[in-house]
Amino acid sequence: MNGPSETVHELREKIIGLGEKSLRKSYYPELQKHIRALEEAYALLERKNAELESYLYVASHDLRSPLVNIQGFSARFGKQIAQIAQELEAMNLDGENNVRRANALELLAEKLPRSVEFILSNTAKMDSLLNGLLRISRTGRIVMSIKELDMNALVAACINTMSYEIEELHARVSVAPLPPCYGDADLVSQVVSNLLGNALKYRSPDRTPNIAISGTHNQRKASYTIQDNGIGIAERHQTRIWDVFYRISDTAAAGEGLGLSIVKRIMDKHRGSVSLISQEGVGSAFTVTFPAEPFTESL
Amino acid sequence: MKTPPAIPENKMKILIAEDDDGHAELIIEGLRNSGITNDIIRFINGEKLLAHLDAEKQTRGTKDKLRNILLLLDINMPRMDGVETLKRIKEDPALREIPVIMLTTTDDPREVERCYQLGCSLYVSKPIIFSNFVDTLHRLGLFLQIVRT
């Protein structure tokens, strides 16, 4: 799964390669025109992307403000309903008025609190969705500090922070020697932790989790694969797992449906890619590819 | 209804800059429900709050007395937002010792970082959980002069 930037870069490489090898010199100006057009398209894409990130941020940020009011005043409404019920309860009424009081109390003690409960549980849900969107837009807007990363140390640190869970599950995590790559240490750690966390979370109940981390590289790219023997991902879900809020199951363990879309964002930012090979019931292997040479963030 | 205790002289006054009427009402109500009886004045943006502080400076004269103020600043406000207001307060020798609490609808780490760098005492996300909030204020020693019923 290539990011738009990688696609453009690869195309440019191809055109340049073609030009050097087989084209007559007279084609060069035209070729250069194409390259420029590609670069312009790329810059436009980046700008549009930044614009989208900004919309996402503003929308999720500004929508939280009215939500705080809905939440706050609904909670107050709930309290006041209970107070009115109490007052009414204390009244000493006769005959028909007593029947009417009982009717009012039924509304106040059962139906209205139930409505308020629905409003509150749904604002809480909306709140968590908006927070998710905010987290995603933040990831997109982080200014990266790109340097050469010792992936052996970085992966070891990620494993270390999860050591409690790994021991609890008696999971086996093996790491082959990993080549270095270039990237932002925090964001790359986030990718590794996320994939490792998923490998543990989506373990098979029938076998001990076995996770193997390995890496390969050439001059320009370094790839790392995290392979597990977990529950795997059915083919029909495989293209959608990168989508924001997409969850395969709706159990609590399934999480908020944000992890992989954040991974995808981080990989795009690194002009890298993430891919998946998985078989339901057998396990999954996620491969992330980072630049193996210095690069600059284009925004 | 209980009669509130008489407000002692020098008691801390709480100034809130918040453009959203609903948020302002909920914050004031939350503080009152937590037993806080101090004077609370609300402003609809940072500019109005600074104008009030300027007037206080003129009438009170000394810098010491301006310490009996606690500021709650919303981050997003029209005309002058909370971050700019915080910056101006911390630049003013007569105001810089006033404790400032930033209120926000997000917990954007960069925004939090910026506010602490500018010198805010505390950063709180909305909706405010008042039990935690008041405890934190006590721990920070910010509410020592506040009378609780």
Side-chain angles (χ1 to χ4, degrees), chain A residues 57 60-62 64-66 68-69 71-73 76 79-80 127 131 134 138 141-143, chain B residues 20-26 29 33 76 104-111 125-128:
Chain A
Y57 179 77
S60 43
H61 182 272
D62 289 6
R64 277 209 83 223
S65 187
V68 166
N69 275 330
Q71 234 164 4
F73 286 100
R76 178 156 102 172
K79 274 186 214 150
Q80 288 167 341
D127 193 29
N131 280 331
L134 270 172
R138 258 177 230 150
R141 294 179 312 133
I142 285 172
V143 178
Chain B
D20 188 297
D21 290 343
H23 289 202
E25 190 171 328
L26 290 170
E29 186 178 77
N33 288 344
N76 285 296
T104 176
T105 44
T106 66
D107 49 2
D108 190 330
R110 290 176 317 162
E111 215 169 61
S125 300
K126 296 176 193 170
I128 302 170

Side-chain angles (χ1 to χ4, degrees), chain A residues 79-135:
Chain A
K79 274 186 214 150
Q80 288 167 341
I81 291 168
Q83 280 168 357
I84 296 173
Q86 253 179 7
E87 295 289 325
L88 210 58
E89 198 93 60
M91 280 181 193
N92 207 352
L93 301 173
D94 299 322
E96 197 198 335
N97 283 336
N98 212 14
V99 175
R100 296 175 87 168
R101 183 184 71 161
N103 291 340
L105 272 174
E106 193 190 329
L107 276 175
L108 289 169
E110 287 165 34
K111 297 197 172 146
L112 287 177
R114 197 171 140 76
S115 306
V116 173
E117 213 173 284
F118 270 116
I119 297 173
L120 285 175
S121 66
N122 279 280
T123 50
K125 199 169 169 185
M126 196 159 156
D127 193 29
S128 106
L129 291 175
L130 289 176
N131 280 331
L133 288 179
L134 270 172
R135 266 178 55 203

